[in-house]
């Protein structure tokens, strides 16, 4: 597609996307299906442009409103400001007047603008981050504006990290081991993973380093019964299964069939044989109750605001509202309550979110511990050390707290909880699920 036509396609995509009635990646997927003639480069420019606009939306809207000399819809002016093609495509896409307008606006001193505008945050979220992170707020807000790197998890069932790094080196793809996860690899750029043998053969899976550390905290052992309570597309499920060396039973629960369906091809690539996907109606489903008191370890990666993933999903800050957070915390408390019933005495539960808001994180865990004296908090740094991970700088008040400005990961929170052992330990009861 000609760069000029691509610019107006970006305008049309933004017109659809800025209604915020669907996730940004879903809007793009719908466009790409509707326009199969778009080449790989065209798709990349479109995706990079609209995501650049979403990251800087409030700033770009403010700048565009100050100078309407080029005319056109706001979405067109936003696409001009966010254009992410190379210099050649930029000059081919924009008229001389548009180029001059873009250069003039982007040269303005953003430091003169209010912080929430400069860092493109809604007022409620800017206030929440400032209240919770204090002097760290500016660094956190700026880090959230930067695109995330591409992190991979090496499947230890099939390969060692050193072998994967050697493959990338031979392919001239710059890669390095992640600093915290023992299985993580960080790639530069955006290679087409689906074209690489290491991906097709299941040696690696896409997974942020922070997400990988949740599996480290749960630390499942061979032969155990483990439940991934909110499995989604199964990224963490696969990490757990690899730690278990494909032994025992690993249930992947989720309320959405379509999410579990995405696990199937990944599971096939992984080579794991101990994973059992189970669609449940809700957290109190009969299939959950059948495992009560019989499970060794439970991971609860709870549905959350996703505000720790703004580097990848910048639309989340515009789609979420304060009332949504209040609704989510009620759901999170209910899910944690139900998931905790699965544990046998002495069992471990990890409660996690990809949120940076305490009300979704420590607030949920502290309320749960107050109401359930048969559970106790296990210091996350202790667990990390036991698993050979240096937890220095990763733990706040006993819980894992990852932030993009500190750790170059998504924003993640995780608390390790243990059900206190009792004298009437029910032993290693086995259980299976029937349809």
């Amino acid at each position: 597609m000609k760069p000029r036509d691509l610019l107006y396609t970006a305008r049309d995509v933004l017109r659809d996307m800025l209604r915020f009635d669907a996730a940004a990646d879903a809007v793009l997927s719908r466009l790409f299906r509707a326009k199969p003639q778009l080449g790989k480069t065209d798709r990349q420019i479109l995706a990079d442009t609209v995501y650049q606009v979403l990251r800087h939306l409030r700033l770009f809207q403010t700048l565009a409103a100050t100078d309407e000399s080029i005319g056109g819809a706001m979405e067109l002016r936003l696409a001009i400001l966010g254009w992410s093609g190379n210099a050649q495509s930029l000059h081919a896409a924009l008229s001389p007047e548009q180029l001059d307008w873009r250069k003039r606006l982007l040269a303005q001193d953003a430091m003169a603008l209010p912080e929430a505008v400069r860092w493109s945050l809604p007022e409620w979220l800017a206030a929440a981050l400032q209240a919770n992170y204090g002097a760290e707020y500016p660094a956190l807000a700026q880090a959230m504006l930067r695109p995330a790197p591409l992190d991979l998890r090496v499947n230890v069932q099939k390969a060692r990290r050193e072998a994967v790094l050697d493959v990338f080196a031979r392919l001239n793809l710059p890669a390095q081991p992640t600093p915290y996860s023992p299985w993580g690899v960080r790639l530069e750029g955006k290679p087409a993973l689906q074209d690489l043998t290491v991906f097709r053969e299941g040696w690696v899976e896409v997974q942020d380093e922070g997400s990988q550390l949740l599996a480290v905290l749960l630390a499942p052992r061979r032969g155990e019964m483990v439940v991934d309570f909110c499995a989604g597309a199964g990224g963490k499920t696969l990490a757990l299964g690899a730690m278990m060396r494909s032994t025992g039973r690993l249930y992947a629960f989720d309320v959405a069939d379509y999410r579990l369906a995405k696990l199937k091809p990944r599971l096939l690539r992984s080579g794991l044989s101990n994973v059992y996907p189970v669609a449940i109606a809700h957290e109190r489903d009969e299939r959950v109750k059948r495992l009560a008191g019989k499970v060794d370890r439970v991971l609860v990666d709870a549905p959350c605001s996703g505000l720790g993933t703004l580097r990848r999903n910048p639309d989340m800050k515009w789609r979420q509202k304060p009332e949504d957070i209040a609704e989510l915390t009620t759901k999170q408390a209910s899910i944690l309550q139900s998931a905790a019933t699965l544990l046998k005495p002495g069992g471990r539960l990890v409660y996690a979110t990809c949120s940076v808001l305490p009300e979704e994180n420590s607030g949920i865990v502290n309320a749960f511990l107050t109401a359930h004296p048969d559970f106790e908090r296990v210091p996350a740094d202790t667990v990390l050390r036991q698993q050979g991970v240096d937890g220095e700088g990763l733990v706040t008040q006993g819980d894992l707290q990852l932030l993009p400005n500190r750790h170059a990961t998504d924003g993640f929170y995780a608390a390790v909880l243990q059900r206190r052992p009792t004298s009437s330990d029910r032993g290693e009861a086995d259980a299976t699920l029937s349809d």
Side-chain angles (χ1 to χ4, degrees):
M1 183 178 286
K2 294 180 179 179
R4 187 73 176 171
D5 295 334
L6 207 57
L7 173 68
Y8 285 92
T9 300
R11 175 203 62 186
D12 295 342
V13 175
L14 285 169
R15 186 172 293 153
D16 189 8
M17 196 172 283
L18 295 182
R19 291 200 293 265
F20 298 116
D21 53 8
D25 58 352
V27 175
L28 275 177
S29 294
R30 189 164 62 234
L31 169 76
F32 294 158
R33 288 194 300 271
K35 293 182 177 290
Q37 72 274 21
L38 288 171
K40 177 182 175 182
T41 300
D42 291 343
R43 292 181 180 215
Q44 194 64 63
I45 290 174
L46 277 173
D48 289 347
T49 296
V50 298
Y51 272 85
Q52 179 75 347
V53 171
L54 290 171
R55 286 189 186 93
H56 299 277
L57 180 59
R58 193 171 178 192
L59 172 63
F60 284 179
Q61 285 176 328
T62 301
L63 293 176
T66 65
D67 185 344
E68 300 182 2
S69 58
I70 62 165
M74 172 61 79
E75 292 85 0
L76 175 61
R77 283 178 274 153
L78 293 174
I80 291 170
L81 290 172
W83 184 262
S84 297
N86 59 28
Q88 182 179 356
S89 70
L90 176 67
H91 283 79
L94 274 58
S95 68
E97 293 78 16
Q98 291 170 333
L99 281 167
D100 180 69
W101 180 86
R102 181 180 190 272
K103 181 178 180 180
R104 186 168 65 250
L105 264 63
L106 292 180
Q108 290 187 24
D109 182 13
M111 296 300 291
L113 297 171
E115 286 184 337
V117 175
R118 186 191 321 157
W119 296 322
S120 284
L121 292 169
E123 288 294 336
W124 74 269
L125 181 55
L129 294 179
Q130 189 165 29
N132 290 311
Y133 293 95
E136 192 174 10
Y137 160 59
L140 175 59
Q142 290 177 70
M144 287 176 164
L145 288 174
R146 292 190 284 270
L150 176 59
D151 286 356
L152 307 176
R153 177 186 57 80
V154 175
N155 178 6
V156 296
Q157 283 287 97
K158 293 193 171 185
R160 296 169 61 247
R161 178 159 66 173
E162 293 76 12
V164 171
L165 289 169
D166 286 344
V167 170
F168 287 137
R170 290 198 299 271
L171 294 172
N172 293 317
L173 293 174
Q176 59 185 346
T178 52
Y180 309 115
S181 167
W183 323 296
V185 170
R186 183 159 293 158
L187 279 175
E188 294 183 20
K190 299 175 181 177
L193 286 179
Q194 66 275 10
D195 296 335
L196 302 182
T197 301
V198 288
F199 179 77
R200 293 198 305 267
E201 295 296 322
W203 286 27
V204 295
E205 274 286 341
V206 176
Q207 189 175 23
D208 183 76
E209 183 182 22
S211 179
Q212 295 176 38
L213 290 179
L214 301 186
V216 175
L217 287 176
L218 195 66
R221 298 169 180 163
R222 296 182 186 218
E224 289 187 327
M225 185 182 298
V226 178
V227 172
D228 186 351
F229 203 78
C230 306
K236 287 172 282 293
T237 306
L238 298 177
L240 297 172
M243 290 186 77
M244 297 166 71
R245 299 293 180 177
S246 204
T247 65
R249 297 182 72 86
L250 173 54
Y251 292 111
F253 286 171
D254 204 90
V255 296
D257 283 325
Y258 73 90
R259 284 197 290 263
L260 286 176
K262 295 178 181 179
L263 170 59
K264 292 181 180 179
R266 304 176 78 184
L267 185 56
L268 186 63
R269 286 197 305 269
S270 74
L272 296 174
S273 59
N274 65 334
V275 177
Y276 300 87
V278 180
I280 58 175
H282 44 70
E283 65 269 20
R284 299 173 304 283
D285 192 292
E286 280 300 319
R287 295 184 168 213
V288 175
K289 294 179 180 178
R290 290 176 202 169
L291 292 179
K294 299 172 182 175
V295 176
D296 296 288
R297 297 173 196 255
V298 179
L299 174 61
V300 180
D301 184 14
C304 70
S305 64
L307 293 172
T309 68
L310 294 186
R311 301 180 309 161
R312 303 175 195 279
N313 306 300
D315 55 315
M316 296 301 295
K317 60 185 172 182
W318 310 117
R319 295 175 60 211
Q320 298 286 7
K321 301 291 186 292
E323 53 270 26
D324 298 327
I325 307 303
E327 184 177 330
L328 281 166
T329 56
T330 300
K331 181 184 295 185
Q332 289 156 356
S334 177
I335 289 173
L336 177 55
Q337 164 75 29
S338 295
T341 65
L342 299 178
L343 281 183
K344 62 174 62 172
R348 174 179 295 179
L349 183 150
V350 170
Y351 172 85
T353 77
C354 52
S355 174
V356 292
L357 299 180
E359 52 264 48
E360 297 187 79
N361 297 335
S362 57
I364 298 294
V365 170
N366 291 339
F368 174 82
L369 289 174
T370 298
H372 297 83
D374 56 328
F375 279 80
E376 60 185 344
R377 178 186 258 113
V378 179
D381 51 350
T382 299
V383 178
L384 291 172
R385 280 196 302 271
Q386 291 170 348
Q387 297 300 310
V389 175
D390 183 2
E392 185 176 356
L394 304 181
V395 176
T396 301
Q397 296 181 344
D399 299 335
L400 183 77
Q401 178 65 79
L402 302 176
L403 296 172
N405 57 300
R406 293 185 199 169
H407 311 108
T409 67
D410 287 344
F412 268 102
Y413 167 88
V416 183
L417 308 179
Q418 179 175 304
R419 189 173 184 182
R420 299 180 191 273
T422 66
S423 56
S424 57
D425 194 325
R426 293 176 235 180
E428 299 294 326
D430 192 15
T432 59
L433 290 177
S434 59
D435 294 329

